[in-house]
Amino acid sequence: MSSTPDPRIPVTVNGEARTVPEGYPLLAVLKDLEIDPAEATGVAVAINESVIRRQDWADVTLAEEDTVEIIQAQQGG
Amino acid sequence: MADDVHTNGAVASATDDPLTIGDRDFSSRLIVGTSRYPNPQVMLDALEATGTELVTVAIRRVNVEDPAPESHLDLLRRGGYEILPNTAGCYTAREAVLVAQLAREALDTDLIKLEVIGDDETLMPDVEQLLDAAKTLVDDGFTVLAYANDDPITCRKLANLGCAAVMPLGSPIGSGMGLVNPYNLRIIREVVEDTPLIVDAGIGTASDAVTAMELGYDGVLLNTAIAEAQHPVQMAHAMRLAVESGRRAHRAGRIPRRLYAQASSPTEGQVGD
């Protein structure tokens, strides 16, 4: 990561520590997880324990130390 | 229900006797989980055989290593089922509240099956955390169906907090042990009069579901008993009949138990008198 010229910031995505470029869009995080916001059903996002409404996804960028949770409905009892 | 027996017009159909949870009416009193079936087609066939209208799903992180897992949500929605997300796997009120809020956003529903467990050996609820989460979620406008211990005091507190249904366990989740403390379940029915009560967890076979309904419970929630039966679709149908049968028996009012026999044939005019 030291070779990249862009300043990178630490974040946590679904419990995993990652570094991303400053100002990394939430939509890019979703794309990394192969989630297409137009198609995905049963998906929701929280940053720092606050749910981000779907209509706001496009406006959100990550800040240093953000904790992102991206969940999906799955079979369960 | 098409298979209702109408002998004299006095037998109510299931649609005349709905299960009301919050502002929703369900003609089926069976709530069914969507996990552990041999394959998705068996799940769909089994759900159809139960006659259920409300099915549970779990909320899980999208796997960072293996993104875009196959979701069966679209299958369930195409089947016309209402979705009841759960907070399974949460150990604290804080986690459960966040998962409920994520579920509301993901599925556009205010329904939540609230589970806050104390450990993963027993999967028994952590009462302190459960009550805390229930209060927060009711205040936040959720329709809360709370999975609880078979403890009358906890169940009464959950009802008084405004939960839409209180769901004491029959026995530990997935154990198939049936109703291990029917006396507590009876007491819970007596102390929680006005809130729907549903036996959630521990049902092993059809007779367990009948007993729950005969005790005056409003419904049954189960998963493993069907999904892991040798023939899930047949067990699904058995559970449907069991819940309907138990409900009717409860409404019909059983005879009191007697220690000694009481002849059902006339005692007058017996040969040899």
Side-chain angles (χ1 to χ4, degrees), chain B residues 106-157:
Chain B
L107 299 166
D108 196 24
T109 181
D110 63 325
L111 290 171
I112 192 74
K113 178 189 168 189
L114 175 62
E115 289 183 47
V116 193
I117 55 170
D119 68 43
D120 55 12
E121 299 280 306
T122 65
L123 300 179
M124 294 278 186
D126 181 316
V127 172
E128 186 182 20
Q129 299 292 323
L130 172 64
L131 292 169
D132 186 5
K135 182 173 189 326
T136 304
L137 292 173
V138 168
D139 289 348
D140 194 11
F142 281 89
T143 298
V144 178
L145 294 81
Y147 165 64
N149 309 64
D150 58 350
D151 164 26
I153 309 305
T154 304
C155 288
R156 182 166 54 198
K157 284 185 177 180

mmCIF file of all heavy atoms in Angstrom, chain B residues 106-157:
data_model
loop_
_atom_site.group_PDB
_atom_site.id
_atom_site.type_symbol
_atom_site.label_atom_id
_atom_site.label_comp_id
_atom_site.label_asym_id
_atom_site.label_seq_id
_atom_site.Cartn_x
_atom_site.Cartn_y
_atom_site.Cartn_z
ATOM 1 N N ALA B 106 -33.556 -2.960 4.829
ATOM 2 C CA ALA B 106 -33.311 -3.927 3.754
ATOM 3 C C ALA B 106 -34.610 -4.497 3.198
ATOM 4 O O ALA B 106 -34.699 -4.792 2.004
ATOM 5 C CB ALA B 106 -32.432 -5.063 4.281
ATOM 6 N N LEU B 107 -35.600 -4.678 4.070
ATOM 7 C CA LEU B 107 -36.795 -5.433 3.681
ATOM 8 C C LEU B 107 -38.059 -4.595 3.694
ATOM 9 O O LEU B 107 -39.139 -5.092 3.381
ATOM 10 C CB LEU B 107 -36.964 -6.634 4.621
ATOM 11 C CG LEU B 107 -35.794 -7.620 4.575
ATOM 12 C CD1 LEU B 107 -35.845 -8.590 5.748
ATOM 13 C CD2 LEU B 107 -35.813 -8.381 3.258
ATOM 14 N N ASP B 108 -37.917 -3.324 4.075
ATOM 15 C CA ASP B 108 -39.054 -2.408 4.088
ATOM 16 C C ASP B 108 -40.210 -2.974 4.928
ATOM 17 O O ASP B 108 -41.347 -3.047 4.479
ATOM 18 C CB ASP B 108 -39.510 -2.130 2.650
ATOM 19 C CG ASP B 108 -40.405 -0.905 2.587
ATOM 20 O OD1 ASP B 108 -40.306 -0.053 3.490
ATOM 21 O OD2 ASP B 108 -41.206 -0.800 1.640
ATOM 22 N N THR B 109 -39.874 -3.416 6.132
ATOM 23 C CA THR B 109 -40.896 -3.950 7.026
ATOM 24 C C THR B 109 -40.627 -3.487 8.454
ATOM 25 O O THR B 109 -39.466 -3.305 8.838
ATOM 26 C CB THR B 109 -40.928 -5.486 7.000
ATOM 27 O OG1 THR B 109 -41.972 -5.950 7.881
ATOM 28 C CG2 THR B 109 -39.619 -6.107 7.466
ATOM 29 N N ASP B 110 -41.717 -3.317 9.214
ATOM 30 C CA ASP B 110 -41.548 -2.982 10.631
ATOM 31 C C ASP B 110 -41.589 -4.233 11.508
ATOM 32 O O ASP B 110 -41.449 -4.156 12.720
ATOM 33 C CB ASP B 110 -42.636 -1.997 11.079
ATOM 34 C CG ASP B 110 -44.027 -2.583 10.973
ATOM 35 O OD1 ASP B 110 -44.273 -3.362 10.024
ATOM 36 O OD2 ASP B 110 -44.869 -2.283 11.829
ATOM 37 N N LEU B 111 -41.804 -5.390 10.878
ATOM 38 C CA LEU B 111 -41.833 -6.643 11.647
ATOM 39 C C LEU B 111 -40.420 -7.033 12.054
ATOM 40 O O LEU B 111 -39.492 -6.942 11.249
ATOM 41 C CB LEU B 111 -42.407 -7.789 10.802
ATOM 42 C CG LEU B 111 -43.896 -7.758 10.475
ATOM 43 C CD1 LEU B 111 -44.223 -8.846 9.457
ATOM 44 C CD2 LEU B 111 -44.721 -7.945 11.741
ATOM 45 N N ILE B 112 -40.260 -7.480 13.302
ATOM 46 C CA ILE B 112 -38.960 -8.024 13.710
ATOM 47 C C ILE B 112 -39.172 -9.148 14.718
ATOM 48 O O ILE B 112 -39.937 -8.998 15.672
ATOM 49 C CB ILE B 112 -38.030 -6.913 14.287
ATOM 50 C CG1 ILE B 112 -36.601 -7.434 14.433
ATOM 51 C CG2 ILE B 112 -38.537 -6.358 15.593
ATOM 52 C CD1 ILE B 112 -35.855 -7.587 13.139
ATOM 53 N N LYS B 113 -38.514 -10.279 14.439
ATOM 54 C CA LYS B 113 -38.457 -11.347 15.431
ATOM 55 C C LYS B 113 -37.216 -11.077 16.271
ATOM 56 O O LYS B 113 -36.087 -11.232 15.789
ATOM 57 C CB LYS B 113 -38.374 -12.719 14.748
ATOM 58 C CG LYS B 113 -38.252 -13.848 15.750
ATOM 59 C CD LYS B 113 -37.958 -15.192 15.096
ATOM 60 C CE LYS B 113 -37.559 -16.179 16.177
ATOM 61 N NZ LYS B 113 -37.054 -17.446 15.625
ATOM 62 N N LEU B 114 -37.461 -10.639 17.496
ATOM 63 C CA LEU B 114 -36.353 -10.209 18.356
ATOM 64 C C LEU B 114 -35.783 -11.401 19.116
ATOM 65 O O LEU B 114 -36.478 -12.039 19.908
ATOM 66 C CB LEU B 114 -36.858 -9.149 19.335
ATOM 67 C CG LEU B 114 -35.852 -8.671 20.386
ATOM 68 C CD1 LEU B 114 -34.638 -8.009 19.729
ATOM 69 C CD2 LEU B 114 -36.521 -7.709 21.364
ATOM 70 N N GLU B 115 -34.522 -11.682 18.837
ATOM 71 C CA GLU B 115 -33.779 -12.711 19.584
ATOM 72 C C GLU B 115 -32.532 -12.052 20.134
ATOM 73 O O GLU B 115 -31.771 -11.450 19.370
ATOM 74 C CB GLU B 115 -33.289 -13.839 18.661
ATOM 75 C CG GLU B 115 -34.338 -14.754 18.112
ATOM 76 C CD GLU B 115 -33.712 -15.879 17.281
ATOM 77 O OE1 GLU B 115 -32.735 -16.512 17.728
ATOM 78 O OE2 GLU B 115 -34.198 -16.103 16.164
ATOM 79 N N VAL B 116 -32.343 -12.130 21.433
ATOM 80 C CA VAL B 116 -31.077 -11.699 22.036
ATOM 81 C C VAL B 116 -30.630 -12.850 22.925
ATOM 82 O O VAL B 116 -31.255 -13.118 23.954
ATOM 83 C CB VAL B 116 -31.213 -10.411 22.871
ATOM 84 C CG1 VAL B 116 -29.825 -9.861 23.197
ATOM 85 C CG2 VAL B 116 -32.046 -9.360 22.152
ATOM 86 N N ILE B 117 -29.599 -13.537 22.505
ATOM 87 C CA ILE B 117 -29.229 -14.773 23.199
ATOM 88 C C ILE B 117 -28.076 -14.550 24.165
ATOM 89 O O ILE B 117 -27.301 -13.595 24.033
ATOM 90 C CB ILE B 117 -28.883 -15.895 22.202
ATOM 91 C CG1 ILE B 117 -27.784 -15.443 21.230
ATOM 92 C CG2 ILE B 117 -30.118 -16.345 21.462
ATOM 93 C CD1 ILE B 117 -27.236 -16.550 20.388
ATOM 94 N N GLY B 118 -27.991 -15.460 25.141
ATOM 95 C CA GLY B 118 -26.973 -15.330 26.176
ATOM 96 C C GLY B 118 -25.706 -16.107 25.877
ATOM 97 O O GLY B 118 -24.618 -15.702 26.275
ATOM 98 N N ASP B 119 -25.841 -17.246 25.204
ATOM 99 C CA ASP B 119 -24.658 -17.987 24.766
ATOM 100 C C ASP B 119 -25.047 -18.893 23.608
ATOM 101 O O ASP B 119 -26.232 -19.083 23.323
ATOM 102 C CB ASP B 119 -24.019 -18.782 25.917
ATOM 103 C CG ASP B 119 -24.891 -19.929 26.407
ATOM 104 O OD1 ASP B 119 -25.472 -20.650 25.578
ATOM 105 O OD2 ASP B 119 -24.992 -20.096 27.634
ATOM 106 N N ASP B 120 -24.038 -19.432 22.922
ATOM 107 C CA ASP B 120 -24.380 -20.216 21.734
ATOM 108 C C ASP B 120 -24.452 -21.715 22.017
ATOM 109 O O ASP B 120 -24.588 -22.515 21.104
ATOM 110 C CB ASP B 120 -23.448 -19.897 20.556
ATOM 111 C CG ASP B 120 -21.999 -20.081 20.916
ATOM 112 O OD1 ASP B 120 -21.729 -20.666 21.973
ATOM 113 O OD2 ASP B 120 -21.135 -19.641 20.135
ATOM 114 N N GLU B 121 -24.375 -22.101 23.276
ATOM 115 C CA GLU B 121 -24.589 -23.498 23.642
ATOM 116 C C GLU B 121 -26.078 -23.765 23.827
ATOM 117 O O GLU B 121 -26.612 -24.746 23.327
ATOM 118 C CB GLU B 121 -23.883 -23.816 24.971
ATOM 119 C CG GLU B 121 -22.382 -23.631 24.941
ATOM 120 C CD GLU B 121 -21.713 -24.822 24.288
ATOM 121 O OE1 GLU B 121 -21.967 -25.946 24.733
ATOM 122 O OE2 GLU B 121 -20.961 -24.622 23.328
ATOM 123 N N THR B 122 -26.725 -22.877 24.571
ATOM 124 C CA THR B 122 -28.152 -23.064 24.868
ATOM 125 C C THR B 122 -29.029 -22.225 23.941
ATOM 126 O O THR B 122 -30.213 -22.540 23.785
ATOM 127 C CB THR B 122 -28.467 -22.628 26.309
ATOM 128 O OG1 THR B 122 -28.247 -21.220 26.427
ATOM 129 C CG2 THR B 122 -27.587 -23.366 27.312
ATOM 130 N N LEU B 123 -28.493 -21.169 23.382
ATOM 131 C CA LEU B 123 -29.265 -20.177 22.618
ATOM 132 C C LEU B 123 -30.440 -19.626 23.430
ATOM 133 O O LEU B 123 -31.440 -19.187 22.879
ATOM 134 C CB LEU B 123 -29.757 -20.749 21.281
ATOM 135 C CG LEU B 123 -28.681 -21.233 20.309
ATOM 136 C CD1 LEU B 123 -29.313 -21.791 19.034
ATOM 137 C CD2 LEU B 123 -27.715 -20.098 19.936
ATOM 138 N N MET B 124 -30.318 -19.688 24.748
ATOM 139 C CA MET B 124 -31.358 -19.132 25.613
ATOM 140 C C MET B 124 -31.279 -17.606 25.594
ATOM 141 O O MET B 124 -30.184 -17.036 25.530
ATOM 142 C CB MET B 124 -31.161 -19.606 27.051
ATOM 143 C CG MET B 124 -31.362 -21.088 27.245
ATOM 144 S SD MET B 124 -33.096 -21.479 27.406
ATOM 145 C CE MET B 124 -32.981 -23.228 27.809
ATOM 146 N N PRO B 125 -32.428 -16.938 25.689
ATOM 147 C CA PRO B 125 -32.407 -15.476 25.687
ATOM 148 C C PRO B 125 -31.696 -14.904 26.914
ATOM 149 O O PRO B 125 -31.756 -15.476 28.001
ATOM 150 C CB PRO B 125 -33.894 -15.105 25.727
ATOM 151 C CG PRO B 125 -34.615 -16.304 25.234
ATOM 152 C CD PRO B 125 -33.792 -17.477 25.679
ATOM 153 N N ASP B 126 -31.034 -13.765 26.692
ATOM 154 C CA ASP B 126 -30.493 -12.964 27.794
ATOM 155 C C ASP B 126 -31.582 -11.967 28.166
ATOM 156 O O ASP B 126 -31.843 -10.997 27.434
ATOM 157 C CB ASP B 126 -29.221 -12.240 27.326
ATOM 158 C CG ASP B 126 -28.594 -11.419 28.443
ATOM 159 O OD1 ASP B 126 -29.342 -10.724 29.159
ATOM 160 O OD2 ASP B 126 -27.368 -11.449 28.572
ATOM 161 N N VAL B 127 -32.244 -12.224 29.279
ATOM 162 C CA VAL B 127 -33.468 -11.494 29.605
ATOM 163 C C VAL B 127 -33.225 -9.992 29.737
ATOM 164 O O VAL B 127 -34.006 -9.171 29.244
ATOM 165 C CB VAL B 127 -34.097 -12.056 30.896
ATOM 166 C CG1 VAL B 127 -35.259 -11.196 31.355
ATOM 167 C CG2 VAL B 127 -34.556 -13.487 30.666
ATOM 168 N N GLU B 128 -32.146 -9.634 30.404
ATOM 169 C CA GLU B 128 -31.848 -8.218 30.628
ATOM 170 C C GLU B 128 -31.712 -7.477 29.286
ATOM 171 O O GLU B 128 -32.309 -6.420 29.061
ATOM 172 C CB GLU B 128 -30.546 -8.133 31.432
ATOM 173 C CG GLU B 128 -30.164 -6.770 31.871
ATOM 174 C CD GLU B 128 -28.824 -6.790 32.611
ATOM 175 O OE1 GLU B 128 -28.052 -7.762 32.432
ATOM 176 O OE2 GLU B 128 -28.559 -5.836 33.347
ATOM 177 N N GLN B 129 -30.929 -8.077 28.385
ATOM 178 C CA GLN B 129 -30.705 -7.456 27.074
ATOM 179 C C GLN B 129 -31.979 -7.497 26.218
ATOM 180 O O GLN B 129 -32.285 -6.555 25.479
ATOM 181 C CB GLN B 129 -29.561 -8.174 26.349
ATOM 182 C CG GLN B 129 -28.228 -8.114 27.077
ATOM 183 C CD GLN B 129 -27.652 -6.708 27.111
ATOM 184 O OE1 GLN B 129 -27.767 -5.950 26.158
ATOM 185 N NE2 GLN B 129 -27.042 -6.345 28.223
ATOM 186 N N LEU B 130 -32.713 -8.590 26.342
ATOM 187 C CA LEU B 130 -33.949 -8.751 25.574
ATOM 188 C C LEU B 130 -34.962 -7.661 25.919
ATOM 189 O O LEU B 130 -35.552 -7.024 25.030
ATOM 190 C CB LEU B 130 -34.550 -10.137 25.880
ATOM 191 C CG LEU B 130 -35.937 -10.443 25.342
ATOM 192 C CD1 LEU B 130 -35.937 -10.458 23.821
ATOM 193 C CD2 LEU B 130 -36.431 -11.787 25.885
ATOM 194 N N LEU B 131 -35.169 -7.419 27.206
ATOM 195 C CA LEU B 131 -36.137 -6.408 27.637
ATOM 196 C C LEU B 131 -35.698 -5.012 27.197
ATOM 197 O O LEU B 131 -36.513 -4.197 26.751
ATOM 198 C CB LEU B 131 -36.318 -6.466 29.161
ATOM 199 C CG LEU B 131 -37.016 -7.729 29.691
ATOM 200 C CD1 LEU B 131 -36.888 -7.806 31.205
ATOM 201 C CD2 LEU B 131 -38.490 -7.752 29.287
ATOM 202 N N ASP B 132 -34.409 -4.770 27.307
ATOM 203 C CA ASP B 132 -33.860 -3.486 26.890
ATOM 204 C C ASP B 132 -34.104 -3.260 25.391
ATOM 205 O O ASP B 132 -34.604 -2.200 24.959
ATOM 206 C CB ASP B 132 -32.343 -3.497 27.229
ATOM 207 C CG ASP B 132 -31.684 -2.164 26.977
ATOM 208 O OD1 ASP B 132 -32.379 -1.199 26.643
ATOM 209 O OD2 ASP B 132 -30.441 -2.097 27.095
ATOM 210 N N ALA B 133 -33.779 -4.289 24.588
ATOM 211 C CA ALA B 133 -33.964 -4.166 23.130
ATOM 212 C C ALA B 133 -35.437 -4.037 22.776
ATOM 213 O O ALA B 133 -35.813 -3.235 21.904
ATOM 214 C CB ALA B 133 -33.365 -5.391 22.434
ATOM 215 N N ALA B 134 -36.288 -4.805 23.457
ATOM 216 C CA ALA B 134 -37.727 -4.755 23.156
ATOM 217 C C ALA B 134 -38.278 -3.347 23.375
ATOM 218 O O ALA B 134 -39.022 -2.817 22.543
ATOM 219 C CB ALA B 134 -38.480 -5.766 24.023
ATOM 220 N N LYS B 135 -37.886 -2.737 24.476
ATOM 221 C CA LYS B 135 -38.376 -1.385 24.774
ATOM 222 C C LYS B 135 -37.935 -0.399 23.689
ATOM 223 O O LYS B 135 -38.729 0.391 23.174
ATOM 224 C CB LYS B 135 -37.865 -0.942 26.146
ATOM 225 C CG LYS B 135 -38.374 0.438 26.528
ATOM 226 C CD LYS B 135 -38.024 0.807 27.940
ATOM 227 C CE LYS B 135 -38.732 2.095 28.374
ATOM 228 N NZ LYS B 135 -38.935 3.089 27.338
ATOM 229 N N THR B 136 -36.641 -0.463 23.332
ATOM 230 C CA THR B 136 -36.115 0.450 22.313
ATOM 231 C C THR B 136 -36.841 0.273 20.980
ATOM 232 O O THR B 136 -37.219 1.251 20.317
ATOM 233 C CB THR B 136 -34.602 0.210 22.121
ATOM 234 O OG1 THR B 136 -33.957 0.354 23.387
ATOM 235 C CG2 THR B 136 -33.999 1.182 21.121
ATOM 236 N N LEU B 137 -37.059 -0.978 20.599
ATOM 237 C CA LEU B 137 -37.659 -1.245 19.286
ATOM 238 C C LEU B 137 -39.145 -0.893 19.258
ATOM 239 O O LEU B 137 -39.635 -0.362 18.256
ATOM 240 C CB LEU B 137 -37.431 -2.715 18.892
ATOM 241 C CG LEU B 137 -35.969 -3.065 18.602
ATOM 242 C CD1 LEU B 137 -35.800 -4.571 18.385
ATOM 243 C CD2 LEU B 137 -35.438 -2.296 17.397
ATOM 244 N N VAL B 138 -39.860 -1.179 20.345
ATOM 245 C CA VAL B 138 -41.278 -0.777 20.402
ATOM 246 C C VAL B 138 -41.377 0.747 20.314
ATOM 247 O O VAL B 138 -42.178 1.289 19.545
ATOM 248 C CB VAL B 138 -41.948 -1.299 21.692
ATOM 249 C CG1 VAL B 138 -43.311 -0.653 21.900
ATOM 250 C CG2 VAL B 138 -42.092 -2.825 21.639
ATOM 251 N N ASP B 139 -40.517 1.443 21.056
ATOM 252 C CA ASP B 139 -40.526 2.914 21.026
ATOM 253 C C ASP B 139 -40.184 3.453 19.639
ATOM 254 O O ASP B 139 -40.595 4.541 19.255
ATOM 255 C CB ASP B 139 -39.517 3.477 22.051
ATOM 256 C CG ASP B 139 -39.993 3.266 23.486
ATOM 257 O OD1 ASP B 139 -41.171 2.897 23.671
ATOM 258 O OD2 ASP B 139 -39.190 3.454 24.414
ATOM 259 N N ASP B 140 -39.390 2.672 18.879
ATOM 260 C CA ASP B 140 -38.964 3.085 17.535
ATOM 261 C C ASP B 140 -39.988 2.688 16.472
ATOM 262 O O ASP B 140 -39.743 2.829 15.278
ATOM 263 C CB ASP B 140 -37.599 2.444 17.233
ATOM 264 C CG ASP B 140 -36.913 3.065 16.035
ATOM 265 O OD1 ASP B 140 -37.364 4.129 15.550
ATOM 266 O OD2 ASP B 140 -35.925 2.489 15.543
ATOM 267 N N GLY B 141 -41.143 2.137 16.892
ATOM 268 C CA GLY B 141 -42.215 1.857 15.950
ATOM 269 C C GLY B 141 -42.195 0.464 15.344
ATOM 270 O O GLY B 141 -42.976 0.181 14.422
ATOM 271 N N PHE B 142 -41.332 -0.404 15.839
ATOM 272 C CA PHE B 142 -41.310 -1.767 15.309
ATOM 273 C C PHE B 142 -42.503 -2.574 15.824
ATOM 274 O O PHE B 142 -43.013 -2.327 16.925
ATOM 275 C CB PHE B 142 -40.022 -2.483 15.736
ATOM 276 C CG PHE B 142 -38.811 -2.109 14.929
ATOM 277 C CD1 PHE B 142 -38.009 -1.038 15.303
ATOM 278 C CD2 PHE B 142 -38.473 -2.825 13.787
ATOM 279 C CE1 PHE B 142 -36.889 -0.691 14.563
ATOM 280 C CE2 PHE B 142 -37.356 -2.487 13.042
ATOM 281 C CZ PHE B 142 -36.568 -1.417 13.432
ATOM 282 N N THR B 143 -42.917 -3.550 15.021
ATOM 283 C CA THR B 143 -43.851 -4.583 15.462
ATOM 284 C C THR B 143 -42.996 -5.752 15.918
ATOM 285 O O THR B 143 -42.438 -6.488 15.108
ATOM 286 C CB THR B 143 -44.785 -4.987 14.303
ATOM 287 O OG1 THR B 143 -45.543 -3.836 13.914
ATOM 288 C CG2 THR B 143 -45.727 -6.109 14.705
ATOM 289 N N VAL B 144 -42.880 -5.882 17.248
ATOM 290 C CA VAL B 144 -41.881 -6.788 17.825
ATOM 291 C C VAL B 144 -42.516 -8.120 18.210
ATOM 292 O O VAL B 144 -43.486 -8.165 18.971
ATOM 293 C CB VAL B 144 -41.228 -6.150 19.070
ATOM 294 C CG1 VAL B 144 -40.221 -7.113 19.702
ATOM 295 C CG2 VAL B 144 -40.550 -4.833 18.703
ATOM 296 N N LEU B 145 -41.956 -9.195 17.678
ATOM 297 C CA LEU B 145 -42.304 -10.550 18.113
ATOM 298 C C LEU B 145 -41.085 -11.047 18.886
ATOM 299 O O LEU B 145 -40.023 -11.280 18.307
ATOM 300 C CB LEU B 145 -42.579 -11.473 16.919
ATOM 301 C CG LEU B 145 -43.815 -11.142 16.052
ATOM 302 C CD1 LEU B 145 -43.517 -10.042 15.050
ATOM 303 C CD2 LEU B 145 -44.301 -12.390 15.323
ATOM 304 N N ALA B 146 -41.247 -11.188 20.191
ATOM 305 C CA ALA B 146 -40.089 -11.400 21.050
ATOM 306 C C ALA B 146 -39.938 -12.859 21.457
ATOM 307 O O ALA B 146 -40.829 -13.435 22.099
ATOM 308 C CB ALA B 146 -40.192 -10.528 22.289
ATOM 309 N N TYR B 147 -38.812 -13.440 21.073
ATOM 310 C CA TYR B 147 -38.440 -14.803 21.500
ATOM 311 C C TYR B 147 -37.994 -14.724 22.949
ATOM 312 O O TYR B 147 -37.109 -13.941 23.297
ATOM 313 C CB TYR B 147 -37.318 -15.307 20.597
ATOM 314 C CG TYR B 147 -36.585 -16.516 21.108
ATOM 315 C CD1 TYR B 147 -37.239 -17.742 21.277
ATOM 316 C CD2 TYR B 147 -35.228 -16.464 21.403
ATOM 317 C CE1 TYR B 147 -36.558 -18.847 21.740
ATOM 318 C CE2 TYR B 147 -34.540 -17.572 21.861
ATOM 319 C CZ TYR B 147 -35.208 -18.760 22.032
ATOM 320 O OH TYR B 147 -34.537 -19.854 22.489
ATOM 321 N N ALA B 148 -38.641 -15.552 23.808
ATOM 322 C CA ALA B 148 -38.421 -15.405 25.244
ATOM 323 C C ALA B 148 -38.228 -16.767 25.909
ATOM 324 O O ALA B 148 -38.550 -17.807 25.333
ATOM 325 C CB ALA B 148 -39.625 -14.708 25.879
ATOM 326 N N ASN B 149 -37.720 -16.726 27.126
ATOM 327 C CA ASN B 149 -37.688 -17.915 27.969
ATOM 328 C C ASN B 149 -39.121 -18.288 28.347
ATOM 329 O O ASN B 149 -40.020 -17.456 28.277
ATOM 330 C CB ASN B 149 -36.923 -17.638 29.271
ATOM 331 C CG ASN B 149 -35.581 -17.018 29.017
ATOM 332 O OD1 ASN B 149 -35.503 -15.912 28.504
ATOM 333 N ND2 ASN B 149 -34.523 -17.714 29.361
ATOM 334 N N ASP B 150 -39.305 -19.529 28.800
ATOM 335 C CA ASP B 150 -40.655 -19.941 29.216
ATOM 336 C C ASP B 150 -40.882 -19.495 30.669
ATOM 337 O O ASP B 150 -41.217 -20.294 31.544
ATOM 338 C CB ASP B 150 -40.855 -21.447 29.042
ATOM 339 C CG ASP B 150 -39.852 -22.273 29.818
ATOM 340 O OD1 ASP B 150 -38.881 -21.695 30.353
ATOM 341 O OD2 ASP B 150 -40.021 -23.503 29.890
ATOM 342 N N ASP B 151 -40.722 -18.207 30.871
ATOM 343 C CA ASP B 151 -40.789 -17.605 32.204
ATOM 344 C C ASP B 151 -41.940 -16.608 32.230
ATOM 345 O O ASP B 151 -41.946 -15.633 31.482
ATOM 346 C CB ASP B 151 -39.448 -16.915 32.485
ATOM 347 C CG ASP B 151 -39.524 -15.948 33.650
ATOM 348 O OD1 ASP B 151 -40.387 -16.138 34.522
ATOM 349 O OD2 ASP B 151 -38.722 -14.990 33.675
ATOM 350 N N PRO B 152 -42.957 -16.867 33.056
ATOM 351 C CA PRO B 152 -44.133 -15.996 33.058
ATOM 352 C C PRO B 152 -43.812 -14.526 33.321
ATOM 353 O O PRO B 152 -44.458 -13.638 32.738
ATOM 354 C CB PRO B 152 -44.988 -16.572 34.200
ATOM 355 C CG PRO B 152 -44.540 -17.988 34.340
ATOM 356 C CD PRO B 152 -43.092 -17.998 33.987
ATOM 357 N N ILE B 153 -42.840 -14.264 34.172
ATOM 358 C CA ILE B 153 -42.546 -12.868 34.529
ATOM 359 C C ILE B 153 -41.957 -12.130 33.335
ATOM 360 O O ILE B 153 -42.381 -11.019 32.995
ATOM 361 C CB ILE B 153 -41.569 -12.819 35.727
ATOM 362 C CG1 ILE B 153 -42.069 -13.712 36.881
ATOM 363 C CG2 ILE B 153 -41.354 -11.382 36.172
ATOM 364 C CD1 ILE B 153 -43.455 -13.435 37.364
ATOM 365 N N THR B 154 -40.985 -12.760 32.675
ATOM 366 C CA THR B 154 -40.388 -12.140 31.492
ATOM 367 C C THR B 154 -41.433 -11.941 30.402
ATOM 368 O O THR B 154 -41.492 -10.881 29.758
ATOM 369 C CB THR B 154 -39.247 -13.029 30.951
ATOM 370 O OG1 THR B 154 -38.304 -13.246 31.995
ATOM 371 C CG2 THR B 154 -38.562 -12.378 29.767
ATOM 372 N N CYS B 155 -42.255 -12.956 30.193
ATOM 373 C CA CYS B 155 -43.258 -12.858 29.129
ATOM 374 C C CYS B 155 -44.256 -11.739 29.422
ATOM 375 O O CYS B 155 -44.637 -10.983 28.523
ATOM 376 C CB CYS B 155 -43.969 -14.202 28.956
ATOM 377 S SG CYS B 155 -42.908 -15.453 28.197
ATOM 378 N N ARG B 156 -44.655 -11.610 30.691
ATOM 379 C CA ARG B 156 -45.574 -10.526 31.048
ATOM 380 C C ARG B 156 -44.920 -9.166 30.842
ATOM 381 O O ARG B 156 -45.541 -8.226 30.350
ATOM 382 C CB ARG B 156 -46.041 -10.684 32.500
ATOM 383 C CG ARG B 156 -47.047 -9.605 32.910
ATOM 384 C CD ARG B 156 -47.754 -9.970 34.198
ATOM 385 N NE ARG B 156 -46.800 -10.265 35.257
ATOM 386 C CZ ARG B 156 -47.103 -10.931 36.369
ATOM 387 N NH1 ARG B 156 -48.331 -11.386 36.561
ATOM 388 N NH2 ARG B 156 -46.195 -11.146 37.282
ATOM 389 N N LYS B 157 -43.644 -9.070 31.197
ATOM 390 C CA LYS B 157 -42.948 -7.786 30.992
ATOM 391 C C LYS B 157 -42.885 -7.435 29.507
ATOM 392 O O LYS B 157 -43.083 -6.275 29.122
ATOM 393 C CB LYS B 157 -41.529 -7.860 31.567
ATOM 394 C CG LYS B 157 -41.484 -7.766 33.083
ATOM 395 C CD LYS B 157 -40.049 -7.719 33.583
ATOM 396 C CE LYS B 157 -40.009 -7.549 35.102
ATOM 397 N NZ LYS B 157 -38.634 -7.508 35.619
#
